[in-house]
Amino acid sequence: MRSSSAEARPFKEASPIEAKRLTKRNHYEEIAMQIRRQIEDGRLRPGDKLPSTREISEQFGVGRSTTREALSALKAMGLIDIRQGGGCRVAAALPAGPAPMGAAGLEPPELSSLRDDRKTLLELLEVRQTLEVSIASIAAAKRTPEDLAALRALQIEMEAAIGDDIEGERTDLEFHLLLAKSTRNDIMISLFASITGQMERAIRDIRRVELYANRSVARRLFEEHSAILDAVAEQEPVAASLRMNEHLAHVERMLLRHL
């Protein structure tokens, strides 16, 4: 991959990165943390081109899928740009005041405020789970052919968005909203919008990095949504509520790792 003459800082070779090979589980967070530190320290500067996915994988001693997840996480944090064709560069305009990093990996900017109000977040998660399990059950009983067609169309978009943090978030939220609308219950739709609105604003950065930028996690979420949709399509309220409960419990476990 070569930089074009239009680049602000033209160069021929990718900027080297320092890689400490991982000796335990190959978490993508550890790779992202090492690269992020080099960006914050100025060893990698805005506009610098990163080595290829293959080269980074070899340096860290991991598979390419793990490296891609690390790069997606860095993109979600606004630290790198991923170009068409796979080329990556340090972002030209880095976010001001990078969030601190804990020993376990990356810490999104909203994390400290969430810790300060952990009780409220836990209560929101509890209410959301109760509400959405009911929504799935009612949607399965009351959905129309038009509702199902809209959900199936969105399912295609969700699969295409796997690994894309922005589109992954959008399609996920849209899926749950379409289910709520399928209940034909205005009060339930309003409650859903109120509860999820508060919670999503608080955990947006965590969700993008932990759920949507990670391809393996995003794939599992897609499969969980598909299982919910299949139960709704078959108009099986009990199965739909069970699948929703399993899905939300999985998401909650991932989020609570950061609290």
Side-chain angles (χ1 to χ4, degrees):
M1 296 177 286
R2 304 285 180 179
S3 58
S4 68
S5 58
E7 292 292 338
R9 297 180 62 245
F11 46 84
K12 293 184 178 181
E13 301 297 334
S15 298
I17 62 173
E18 297 176 14
K20 295 181 180 179
R21 291 177 73 87
L22 308 181
T23 57
K24 48 184 180 178
R25 286 186 60 194
N26 296 329
H27 294 305
Y28 78 93
E29 293 98 333
E30 296 178 48
I31 299 172
M33 180 177 64
Q34 290 190 38
I35 296 175
R36 177 176 179 169
R37 281 177 176 159
Q38 293 172 54
I39 293 172
E40 292 176 351
D41 292 346
R43 285 173 282 172
L44 290 171
R45 295 177 293 170
D48 279 355
K49 177 183 176 183
L50 299 184
S52 67
T53 301
R54 177 184 60 79
E55 292 168 328
I56 295 175
S57 300
E58 291 174 353
Q59 285 180 271
F60 284 101
V62 300
R64 295 189 192 184
S65 61
T66 299
T67 297
R68 283 192 290 268
E69 289 169 6
L71 295 174
S72 292
L74 290 167
K75 175 180 180 291
M77 303 298 280
L79 295 173
I80 68 170
D81 296 320
I82 300 179
R83 309 286 177 91
Q84 198 165 29
C88 298
R89 294 185 188 277
V90 179
L94 296 175
M101 290 182 295
L106 301 176
E107 184 170 292
E110 299 289 345
L111 186 51
S112 59
S113 62
L114 281 179
R115 286 198 177 118
D116 292 339
D117 201 10
R118 187 176 191 270
K119 180 176 181 292
T120 298
L121 178 62
L122 291 175
E123 289 176 349
L124 283 170
L125 287 169
E126 187 174 54
V127 173
R128 179 200 178 189
Q129 182 144 1
T130 301
L131 179 63
E132 290 217 59
V133 166
S134 296
I135 284 174
S137 176
I138 297 171
K142 296 174 67 175
R143 64 89 181 155
T144 65
E146 291 75 22
D147 294 328
L148 183 58
L151 286 162
R152 287 297 190 198
L154 185 62
Q155 183 183 33
I156 295 172
E157 294 182 42
M158 294 178 79
E159 185 168 24
I162 290 175
D164 182 324
D165 54 310
I166 304 298
E167 276 298 288
E169 179 183 48
R170 181 190 69 78
T171 55
D172 189 330
L173 296 176
E174 182 68 16
F175 178 85
H176 289 270
L177 179 59
L178 284 178
L179 281 181
K181 290 180 177 179
S182 298
T183 65
R184 298 292 185 278
N185 185 316
D186 290 340
I187 295 176
M188 187 162 283
I189 295 169
S190 179
L191 284 172
F192 167 81
S194 175
I195 292 169
T196 57
Q198 294 178 60
M199 191 174 66
E200 299 305 336
R201 283 191 295 273
I203 63 175
R204 177 170 294 152
D205 289 335
I206 294 176
R207 283 170 57 97
R208 285 183 179 177
V209 174
E210 288 297 311
L211 306 183
Y212 308 124
N214 184 325
R215 288 190 65 85
S216 60
V217 172
R219 169 59 65 178
R220 178 173 170 182
L221 293 179
F222 170 74
E223 291 169 354
E224 290 171 358
H225 285 117
S226 294
I228 295 167
L229 178 51
D230 288 343
V232 170
E234 295 299 321
Q235 296 191 298
E236 297 179 354
V238 174
S241 63
L242 287 173
R243 299 293 85 77
M244 178 64 81
N245 188 61
E246 292 167 356
H247 165 62
L248 294 177
H250 170 219
V251 171
E252 182 176 330
R253 285 194 302 272
M254 296 197 67
L255 295 176
L256 291 183
R257 288 179 357 198
H258 293 273
L259 300 176

